[in-house]
Structures are given as structure tokens and as C-alpha cells.
Amino acid sequence: MLRSRILENKLSSLYKAGKIVGGVYLGKGQEAVSASLGTALNPETDVFSALIRDQAGRIAFGEPLLDCTRSYLGSVEGPMRGRDGNIHRGRPKEGMPAMISHLGSQVSLVTGMLFAKRLKDPTSRAVGATCVGDGATSTGSFHEGLNVAAVEKLPLVVVVANNQFAYSTPNYRQFACGDLVERARGYGVGGFSVDGTDLIACATVMREAVRRARSGDGPQMVVAQVLRLSGHGEHDDGSYVPEDLRSGHYGRDCIEVAIRQLTDRGIVTVDEIMAWQEQNAEEVQRAVAQAQQEQAPDPYQEDWSALSTRFPLCQSGNQPIAQ
Amino acid sequence: MLRSRILENKLSSLYKAGKIVGGVYLGKGQEAVSASLGTALNPETDVFSALIRDQAGRIAFGEPLLDCTRSYLGSVEGPMRGRDGNIHRGRPKEGMPAMISHLGSQVSLVTGMLFAKRLKDPTSRAVGATCVGDGATSTGSFHEGLNVAAVEKLPLVVVVANNQFAYSTPNYRQFACGDLVERARGYGVGGFSVDGTDLIACATVMREAVRRARSGDGPQMVVAQVLRLSGHGEHDDGSYVPEDLRSGHYGRDCIEVAIRQLTDRGIVTVDEIMAWQEQNAEEVQRAVAQAQQEQAPDPYQEDWSALSTRFPLCQSGNQPIAQ
Amino acid sequence: MSVTYIDAIREAQAKLLGEDERVFLYGQDIASFGGAFKATKGLAEAFPGRVFDSPISEDAMVGLAIGAAIEGMRPIVEMQFADFSSIAFNQIVNQAATHYYRTGVPIPITVRLPSGGTPGSGPFHSQSMEGIYAQYPGLIVLTPATVSDAYHMLIDGVALDDPVLYCEHKFLYRWLKAKSINGEHLPIGQARITRPGKHATVVAYSAMVHEAVRAADRLLEESGWEIEVVDLRSVKPLDMDTVLASVARTGRLLALGEAFPWGGVTAEVVSRVTEEGFHLLDAPPQRLNARDTPVPYHPKLWAAHRPTPESICDALRRLLSF
Amino acid sequence: MSVTYIDAIREAQAKLLGEDERVFLYGQDIASFGGAFKATKGLAEAFPGRVFDSPISEDAMVGLAIGAAIEGMRPIVEMQFADFSSIAFNQIVNQAATHYYRTGVPIPITVRLPSGGTPGSGPFHSQSMEGIYAQYPGLIVLTPATVSDAYHMLIDGVALDDPVLYCEHKFLYRWLKAKSINGEHLPIGQARITRPGKHATVVAYSAMVHEAVRAADRLLEESGWEIEVVDLRSVKPLDMDTVLASVARTGRLLALGEAFPWGGVTAEVVSRVTEEGFHLLDAPPQRLNARDTPVPYHPKLWAAHRPTPESICDALRRLLSF
Ligand SMILES: Cc1ncc(C[n+]2csc(CCOP(=O)(O)OP(=O)(O)O)c2C)c(N)n1
Ligand SMILES: Cc1ncc(C[n+]2csc(CCOP(=O)(O)OP(=O)(O)O)c2C)c(N)n1
Ligand SMILES: [Mg+2]
Ligand SMILES: [Mg+2]
């Protein structure tokens, strides 16, 4: 999560320097949730469909830093080859589906991956996880996907990172129940609540949710309370978040909390953390530098085809590029 | 509900005699649920968006018999003028929206009608109700609509007639919770369970749900357990419903139960019921006869326009009818 | 013994399930019930654990299929009616259709769309959505018109690595019969000359091929006009070679479809022909589609809403009069 | 002082809220935040109780608007991006679009669709869906290209009794400026000759009108060709009179759009012109659209995906060479 924070700070400055086109969407303040989910999974067998604020989870699950910097900086070497960018990236064949923007849509997709894994091998113990925000729980797609997973009793873990806002929209304009975890029972799935600013609590809950899913208890839903410590995207100052929330319990920085937790318990020393920090900063710097020196996609080289199939009898209808 | 049953029996024979084109969808066995909802509403002010199996509720809410027979028999005099038929009928301006087939879609529509009523008159005490089946609860549209109504705290009553099957699909392939009423809490809405074969129980629960909605408690969800005593449509023999369900508690005929309840309590006599029956049979017969003698729509007279607006500068693009 | 169009669809699925373990079927009421139209009758019993009833969740049905396809499966999703695919629209056009271009991983799913009008089916059980889906890059849209094509194109479609919308016409289900399914087997992407002629070309697909042939028979009898009928077979990809070769022979084009009249397949055909074969045309190309209203319920309105042999003859007479 | 395209959209909504109590606004983040693009900035404060933040529920947003319209209101729904209207697709094309034909009760809702590409927006924040919605009977599809049209067409669209898809182009939001919004005020259903010419007609709409004008300027300068540019303003209804009159003057047609190349607006325009004005054409009509792939993220790919003044000039030169 430390590496994620350093990377995201770098992305933010690149954006502000005009080096990234489009948008930059950060997971600051949500690293404990995301990283502990990524850590609880097994990258060899499991599926992790990261969403907007899952840089930390991506790193924990094993996504190379370069996938991130190449996607943001539009390198043709990245997994999306400039065709898609920023958080819309992934390696579907390696258990990392690439999100589409339409919120909620990944739930049934991960469900389908798990459905297939079970069909191919009834003894499969692979788990699939995805994160959604509080806002995404209002989508029909979320509902349909989670319900189907429950009917099929698939090992799906859905983490709702309730950061109190969907863009500018506060929880009370998004849902009317007390806590979103109250939805779990209605789907017939396991439900967990956790303080998303507390790394140790998150790690414990995620591990347990993943364990239950893996052991055949069907889908598990974890609702983590957090606050994002950035705007919706780096174009947004998030000024709609009231001061008392920012200065309240969930406004605390989960990384500071984690450092305190780990040092208090003597698991790491401050010096070690400083060393990590430095090492990560270097790695991030390298990943940025490499992506920046790589080629942008070239429209003349681009294979302008949305299909993998070629139909020799039918012309493409695509116009040549004007010179 | 007696009238509904007589009408539906008639529709079934008309269908079997080839006098109705398309399909016939009956509410046999669900009359207690539907009628008690229709009765609990005020047709002057309220909204009732009937679904597939709501013939009894339609009658209770005040829909004329002729609306039904004209729609099924394709009379041009009916509210749908032959453009739509069977259960896809209504009088939206009189509080009776006409369902589209896509299940779940009416929930947000009724929500919008209530939203508008409150905007127009903040003291409005109008309630809006709609029925859905167990299957329709799996739609994203149901989820989005109910959640929006809950956020807006609108006086919506959603009745889930859980007849154990969606077409041929049993509950265990549709949802994974014990009872759909467990969903209420996750939406932050009121929840009621009721035996849908028990008229008095239904009447009590519907009245209470409507009262709470009307008094400002926000949406209410009533889950009624029933069994349909017909196929999905009259083309279907419903043979997938296992014998033990048919012969079990919910397989009992709510009309027989109601007659017993009412006569046992001395509210009506058997003679009175026989008289109603006769009177209703006559009225149904009249409504059928009238619709049958009315004109079918005439394609040459038809105003083939999907818009109420006419654009004088733009031709319609519609071809003349071949002679 | 004869085979209907829907028999062919069922047989194709049986063959696919039998020969390719990556194939499974997912849809509402398709397992023990065999589907609303019985297109999967007996398959759940014959292939245990391969045919699944889904909840009423079209968005999730397609989402699940896409996920399974990423994992190497070849799911076939049955929509109960094409019209209900509007609920799965986002998963189809944004998730499935963009996936290969974005990630390089193709999505071999097949979505079966029971399409087209039948009397009394009304606005929500009658739609023809091929012209909607074909607008999106990344989708293949098949529209079989014959029993043999219903069979072979479903098998060939499932074999493609890309998402396929398989538009099967409900009116043909039981009405269209063949002696066997071993008709001429053309590859996907090749159109067929269903009926040769020399005075005008009707380009049609799905059920309208048969209405075009009826109209052509009538005109031949009435006035000796010889009308060529081209069956597109797939609307995306579009086999313009066959279409242009036909127009080169006849000099006249009527594009015929059952969908709504704005845009869609007939507009694409007319535009491609005029762009690429303007000099071949001896008369203004014409289109005939359904009317610009929802599909009406009443059989009398329905019959006047869609093209019929009468209205096709009228359109052809107009075309031949130039 | 100047007014941008998005100012005009905001001003139009302010005027509507001020003058018609049936109007309310519903959408994600549109109340105190003022919307993702600030198209409703300040309106929640100026009109308390008339501007509402919705949950992330596009299907329910449109369903709610339809219900409110039945009750006599005139809701304006803001989609955060046109692309997300795919979630509301069913409510738009099946509930709103069929309602008047089925029940006789019209549905005066306006759905604002922030449309079209901008650099770096990628496959899901760049779509142009006018050609999808126009295929459905019962919908009106507006595509304003100027500041003044953005203003007047929104006001006129809300006044219509039928469902309106108002396609506003994101690229024009801040880039397009006018001295005032009091430009020429044409009725909905009438196209405009944006730039008169005599050698060829470009039929365009929305942002492509400006690219067409740029291309026309360039060709005039380079080689003296005088290109006429027609701005359709609304793609459904389509003002064929203006289009045909222009083609009658020039004899040559290029239909230009930013949407995907299969079907859509340009195919409808070419088909209508060839059907109704074949004899006016001196050369095969041409189309130029975006490429048949999702809209790419990278600005370099994006710029080659959509038509540009360069590719429009190329297409025009081809057209003029016949
Ligand atoms: C279906 C859909 N509608 C709208 C959007 C636009 N949008 C992108 S992010 C966002 C807010 C998401 O809120 P939440 O789910 O709480 O996640 P968070 O950003 O808070 O992490 C919105 C409305 C979208 N991506 N998808
Ligand atoms: C979105 C959608 N998908 C599929 C259908 C086809 N369909 C019509 S009724 C039905 C079953 C409905 O089951 P349920 O909601 O339980 O109601 P019931 O028929 O049992 O009263 C189905 C699948 C539909 N109408 N809408
Ligand atoms: Mg959030
Ligand atoms: Mg049911």
C-alpha cells in the first residue's frame, strides 16, 4: 500500500503537469481495504477485478507497476496498447479483468469466470473478488450479478468500499438502509463490516471472507467504511466532503494508521519503512521513466479491427487514414 | 376476486377456442393477494400498476371489465385500440399505467408518478402500488426502482407475489435467501410476509402496508406466498410444478378459502355467493359479447405515428399500405 | 420426415454440446422445461450439468457468459425474446463488443435472439434488433433464413472467437420445414442467391427472404418480371461482393427488412451499394421496412406493419417502372 | 463577453425552470455539485426543490422521469455520459418510446446525452448514440451544433410532448463560443445551410459541422471548390427537403458523422437521398464516419478514429473527382 501511495502521488503530479491525458483516479485513503483484499487472494489461481480505487490491491495481487504507468502514459507497450487507459486496464487471462466504466458490470463477469472454473474443474477452489463503491451498489448490474452468484453459490467476494460519496453524492442520496451490509442477508450471502482505515482489521476480515468463499460457503460481501483522501479524480478537489467528516474517524490516513500498528507491534521499524519508501519511490520513478520513453501507438500501424475474426469475403468498410 | 375468476375462466375458454390471439395470462390462485391490494388503494387518488396476474386487483381498483375483454379480443374501442393487448393495458392518466413486458420496469415508473405527485402537491397522500413476481425480483430494474423510491421515501407499495415459480424456474434457481422479505431491510423499507391464500390475512397486511406508506413511512414491501393454479399462460400446463406443492398448503384455492372464511364468520351466506356468481357471470358474458361485436382496428384508418408531434417539414417515411 | 427451423437450432446445440466441452447453455427456463420455444428440449437431460436455468437477469446472463468466455468456454445464451436483450444491452455492446479491441482477448459468446414478429405478439415480443447490434464494432450478427442455415450458422457462429448475435426468426420456427438439414453449407460472411433473376434484385435476410420469394413468384406469374433474391445470411459482416454482383446483373435494388424503417440493415445496404456500385444502378434503389411505430398487437395491424408479398410487389413495380 | 455551448445548455435549463413549473432536473451529481460538466451549476440553489441528485441507477432515472411525465411533469434527465444511457436503454426504447402509440399518453421527457469524443476519454466516455436511438419509433433525436441551437433546441425540445434525446457534444462544451445565444432560431425539424456552396454538399450534425466547415475552408483556399455544409440539427426527424435542395444545387453528397460506420445517420441520409433524389446525383454519394472499432483512449489513435478536416478533404476530393 505504501508503493501504491507513492505511485499515486506520482500520477497526480504527472496529471497536474499535463503529462497524462484523460483522468487520474486515485485510491488514497482506501489502500488498507484494497491491499488487504489483494493480499488475501492467490494470484496463481484467483481472480481480482479491480475497480477505480484499487491501485493498492492491484499491486498486492501482482500487477506490474509498468502496467499502470504504461496505461496512464499511453505507451503502446502496455496491456491496453493505448486503446484504453488509466484504470481501464487488465490482463484478463491472468485473472485480472479490465473494467469497463459502467459500474456494477464486473460483478457478473467475475461470476462467469468462477462459473467456468467450476465447470472445467468441479474441485476448483479458485476465488474471485471485485470491489465496488457505495454508488455502484445502486446499479441493476450489481444486483443481478450478486444474485446470480448467490444462486450458483460461487466463491465470489464483493468488497463494497463505502467512502461515503459517489462522486459528489452522499450516502443518504444513494441508499436508505443503515449500513449496506444489511443487503447481504437478502441475497443469501455472507456479510462483514469493517473499519477500512484499520489495516489489521481489514486483513483479518478479508482473509476470513476469502476463506469462507473458498471453502464453499458461497458469495461473501464485505462492507468497509472509508473516506477517500482525494477528489473523485484529480480534476476534482472534493470540496463537497464536509469538514467534520474529513477530520473524523474515517478521515484518518490508513497508511499512517498501518505504520503505527506495525511499528507499535514491533513488526517493522521506522527505519525499515523509510527504506521501503525509498526503494518504492525508485521503482515508481523507473516505471514512469520507462513508460515515458516508450512509443505512443501509431495510427498507421494500428490494426483497426474490433474483431479477431477476419472475413475474407467482406471488406472492412474502414477508411484509410488521410495523409 | 370472484368476478376475476369467472372472467379468467372465460378468457381461458376463449383462448382454447382460438378466439384470442397471442397469449392469455391468468392470476388464478393469486386473487386474494391482488384483490386485497386493489381494495386497499383509493382509485381516486392512488396509482396501481398491475402486472401479469392482477386481474383481481384491476377489478378491485375499478378497471372496467370491458377494458379487459376489449384488449384480449382486439377491439378498436379498448384502451389499447388493438395496438397492444391482453395484460399490456392500462389507463395511465387514471392511475393505471400499462405495463411493458420487461419485468421490473414498472417499479421506477410508479416511483416517478409518486415523485411528481409530491412535487405538484407536497401534502399529497397518494400511494402507488405495483405487483411483481418472484422472478422479477432478480431484475436490475426492480432493484434500481425500489432503491430510488427508498432514497426518496416515497409512498410506494411493492407486492411480491411469490408463486414459487417464474415460468418454469423454481425459487431455488431464482434467489438464495430464505424469504424475499429479507430484502426489505437492505433497501431500508418496511417488510411484510403474508399467506397469499388467506384473504383475511392479505386484506389486513395490505391495508397496513398502504397505511404506512400513506402516513410517510416510505416504501413498503409485502411478500405473499402463493401458487398459481394455472400455467404460466394458457398455452402452458404447468406440469413442472411438483405434485406435493400442488397438494400442499399453498396449493389450496384462495377463493374457496375466502368463501369459507366469509361464510364461517357469517359475513355472507352461500346463497349470496351463488347470486354474486350468477350476476358476475352475466356481466362477464356481456363484456365478452360486446367486445366481440366491436370492430377490429383497420390498418387503413390507423394513424401510423409513434409521435404525438407532427413535423410539417419532415415526411414520415412511412410507406402507404399495399392495395 | 422433415426438420423445422427450430429443430435445426436444437440439433445444432445438441451437436455443439456433444462435440465441444467448452459449450454450455444458459438462459431462462431452458433446462428441464426446454425453453419457451422448446429450442433446448431434451438437452438438459442429454447433457447433464451443461444446460442451466438462469434468474430473470439478462444483464447478468450476458455478463456471466463473457466471464466464462474469458476462461475459455463457449457459452450460448438464450434470450427468451430478442426484445429482452435490451436489458443486456450494456454487457453486449460495451463489455463483449469492446473486449477484444481493448485487451486482445476475444469473447466467443453466442447470444440467441428469438426475433421478429408473429401475430398477436405485440410491441415487446416481436422486435428485430439486428440493425441495432450491427451498429457496434466488435459484434457479428447472423440472420439465418433457412433450416440448413439455422443449423450450420449456429455451429459456425459458436466456432467464431468473437461475440455473435444469432437472430433466429420466431415466425420460421415451426412454419419453415426442410427435408433435412444438409442444405448447401456456405461460410459465414457469404450471401446466397436464393432465387436468380435479371430485372431487379431484392436484398433480404431472415423471414423476409421468404416473403421476397413469394413476391417474386407472383410478379413472374403476373407480368413476367424475373426478380433475383439475395439472402444476406449475416448482416455484419455484409457480403457486398454478392450484392454488387447481383445489382450489376439487374441494375435495380430493393433492400427489404422487417425492422423499423430508420437506419438499420436496409440503409446500410443501400448506402454501400450506392457508394460502391453507383454506376451499376439503372434506377433509384428502394427500401421497404416495417412502419415507424412499435409492432402492433392486433394481427390486422401487424400484417400491415411489416412488409408483405403485396407491399413488396408494389415496391418492385415502382422500382421496375423507373 | 461570450457564451459557450455549455453555458447555453445551463441557461436554457435555468429559463425552463424559471418559466415552467412542470420542469425538474434529475441526474447524478447535478444538484449542489452542478454536474460532472457543470451544466447545472447554480441551478439547485436558484431553484430549490427542482434539481435532484439521483443514485447511480440510469434505468430508474429514466423510469422515474417517465412516471413523472405521465403525471404532467416535464423532467430533464442528465446522463453523466451518453455511454451510460446503455443502462437506461430499455426504459428509453421500450417504455418511453412506445407509450404514446400504445396508450395515447405522450411522454414529454428530455434525456440529455453528453456525447462524442474528446482526447483521452476512451471507449466508454466518447460514444455518439444518436443513430442507435433514432432507429426506434417514438423518439426525437436532437443534435445541436451551435451555441444558439444548444439553447433554443433544448427549450424547444422540452416543449415537445414526446421523448427527446438531446445529444450535446462534449467537445463543443467549452471550445464553442458565441457572442450571444440570440442566433437564428429555427424550428425543430428544419436543417440549416451553415455554409453555402455549389460543388458538393456535406451533410453533418453536431461537432462534425465544424470539422466540415474547416475542410470546406481549406478546399476553397487550396483549389477553389465551394462546398455547401448542411447542419441537420435533428437526426430524427430528418429534414430531407433542405438536404435534397442542397444536393439539387451541388449534385454531390458526402454524409459525415462521428459515430460508428455501420448504419446510423449517414446511412439513413444516403439512403433517403438516393431513394428520393437519385436523379439529382452526379456522383456516387459518399459517407465518412468513425472507424469500426471502439473509440480509442490515446489522443493519437482517437484523432485517426474520427473524421478530421484532413480525412474530410480527402473524401471530398474523391467525391469531386467523379
Ligand atoms: C453506470 C454508470 N453510471 C455513471 C457512471 C459515472 N461515474 C463514474 S464513477 C462514479 C461515482 C462512483 O461512486 P462509487 O461507486 O461510490 O465509487 P467511488 O468513486 O466512491 O470509489 C460515477 C457516477 C458510471 N461509471 N457508470
Ligand atoms: C426482463 C424480462 N425477461 C424475461 C421475460 C419473459 N418472462 C415473462 S413472464 C416470466 C416469468 C415471470 O416470473 P415471475 O416474476 O415470478 O412472475 P409470475 O409469472 O410467476 O407471476 C418471464 C421470464 C420478461 N417478461 N422480462
Ligand atoms: Mg463511493
Ligand atoms: Mg413467479
Side-chain angles (χ1 to χ4, degrees), chain B residues 64 67 161 196 202 214 255-256 265:
Chain B
D67 278 16
C202 286
R214 205 180 301 284
I255 292 196
E256 284 170 22
R265 288 170 205 213

Side-chain angles (χ1 to χ4, degrees), chain C residues 119-143:
Chain C
S121 294
F124 310 115
H125 294 76
S126 303
Q127 291 173 27
S128 299
M129 295 180 67
E130 58 281 348
I132 298 291
Y133 290 114
Q135 273 195 51
Y136 282 89
L139 298 176
I140 291 169
V141 184
L142 309 182
T143 50

Side-chain angles (χ1 to χ4, degrees), chain B residues 53 101 103 133-136 163 165-166 232, chain C residues 28 56 58 80 84:
Chain B
R53 310 201 188 281
S101 296
L103 295 167
D134 40 294
N163 59 11
F165 287 86
H232 173 65
Chain C
Q28 292 153 26
I56 306 181
E58 285 80 5
Q80 203 154 79
F84 299 132

Side-chain angles (χ1 to χ4, degrees), chain B residues 83-84 93 99 120 141 309, chain D residues 59 70-71 101-102 162:
Chain B
R83 294 172 170 195
D84 209 338
K93 286 288 189 196
M99 65 176 275
K120 291 189 290 184
S141 198
T309 313
Chain D
D59 178 275
I70 291 175
E71 288 288 319
Y101 181 72
R102 295 170 63 237
D162 296 297

Side-chain angles (χ1 to χ4, degrees), chain A:
Chain A
M1 55 199 274
L2 201 55
R3 188 194 299 220
S4 171
R5 178 67 63 88
I6 292 166
L7 173 60
E8 293 201 335
N9 283 336
K10 184 71 194 173
L11 293 174
S12 173
S13 12
L14 286 166
Y15 177 79
K16 282 165 185 157
K19 306 267 197 239
I20 292 176
V21 197
V24 168
Y25 304 89
L26 305 185
K28 276 193 201 179
Q30 306 190 186
E31 291 96 339
V33 176
S34 187
S36 53
L37 176 60
T39 309
L41 298 168
N42 177 353
E44 302 296 315
T45 58
D46 293 347
V47 171
F48 177 46
S49 184
L51 233 74
I52 317 183
R53 309 200 189 282
D54 281 322
Q55 184 52 55
R58 289 174 184 268
I59 290 176
F61 192 71
E63 186 192 67
L65 282 186
L66 266 174
D67 279 14
C68 172
T69 56
R70 284 169 160 164
S71 298
Y72 267 110
L73 291 157
S75 155
V76 73
E77 308 288 335
M80 313 311 280
R81 298 156 295 156
R83 294 172 170 195
D84 209 339
N86 51 59
I87 50 178
H88 299 89
R89 68 180 188 269
R91 298 179 175 267
K93 287 287 190 196
E94 296 164 44
M96 296 182 276
M99 66 175 274
I100 66 169
S101 297
H102 299 71
L103 296 167
S105 306
Q106 299 309 103
V107 178
S108 58
L109 182 136
V110 176
T111 296
M113 292 176 78
L114 296 171
F115 191 83
K117 282 177 189 287
R118 187 169 67 191
L119 275 181
K120 291 189 289 184
D121 172 10
T123 69
S124 160
R125 286 166 57 84
V127 167
T130 187
C131 289
V132 296
D134 40 293
T137 65
S138 301
T139 63
S141 197
F142 169 82
H143 171 74
E144 293 195 0
L146 182 52
N147 183 58
V148 164
V151 165
E152 295 294 345
K153 221 167 196 270
L154 288 165
L156 174 75
V157 176
V158 174
V159 174
V160 180
N162 181 358
N163 60 11
Q164 321 301 318
F165 288 85
Y167 210 155
S168 77
T169 304
N171 276 183
Y172 74 90
R173 291 292 305 164
Q174 196 69 242
F175 56 83
C177 59
D179 184 330
L180 285 168
V181 79
E182 293 167 22
R183 298 235 169 124
R185 197 166 157 214
Y187 291 105
V189 306
F192 298 85
S193 283
V194 68
D195 176 349
T197 61
D198 179 339
L199 176 66
I200 289 182
C202 286
T204 311
V205 165
M206 298 299 176
R207 220 180 298 124
E208 177 60 13
V210 169
R211 190 192 65 72
R212 289 207 194 164
R214 205 181 301 283
S215 64
D217 290 354
Q220 308 294 318
M221 178 172 172
V222 179
V223 178
Q225 302 294 332
V226 286
L227 204 64
R228 62 170 145 74
L229 303 180
S230 61
H232 172 66
E234 286 308 276
H235 60 278
D236 168 34
D237 64 6
S239 56
Y240 41 78
V241 179
E243 187 43 43
D244 61 330
L245 259 184
R246 291 174 196 265
S247 58
H249 177 78
Y250 294 118
R252 65 189 186 152
D253 184 338
C254 64
I255 294 197
E256 283 169 23
V257 174
I259 291 178
R260 225 175 310 121
Q261 285 176 333
L262 298 180
T263 51
D264 282 1
R265 289 169 203 213
I267 301 173
V268 291
T269 67
V270 173
D271 280 355
E272 284 172 312
I273 288 170
M274 302 293 278
W276 285 352
Q277 201 146 356
E278 222 162 287
Q279 185 197 330
N280 279 313
E282 255 169 59
E283 286 177 34
V284 164
Q285 196 44 54
R286 258 201 311 265
V288 168
Q290 173 159 351
Q292 272 180 323
Q293 75 182 39
E294 286 171 354
Q295 295 291 309
D298 175 355
Y300 295 92
Q301 300 294 316
E302 177 75 3
D303 173 26
W304 291 103
S305 173
L307 294 175
S308 71
T309 313
R310 300 299 136 105
F311 294 98
L313 298 167
C314 306
Q315 307 128 304
S316 78
N318 257 333
Q319 73 274 18
I321 298 175
Q323 300 292 337

Side-chain angles (χ1 to χ4, degrees), chain C residues 55-73:
Chain C
I56 306 181
S57 302
E58 285 80 5
D59 179 274
M61 284 157 60
V62 175
L64 179 145
I66 295 168
I70 291 174
E71 288 289 319
M73 304 299 284

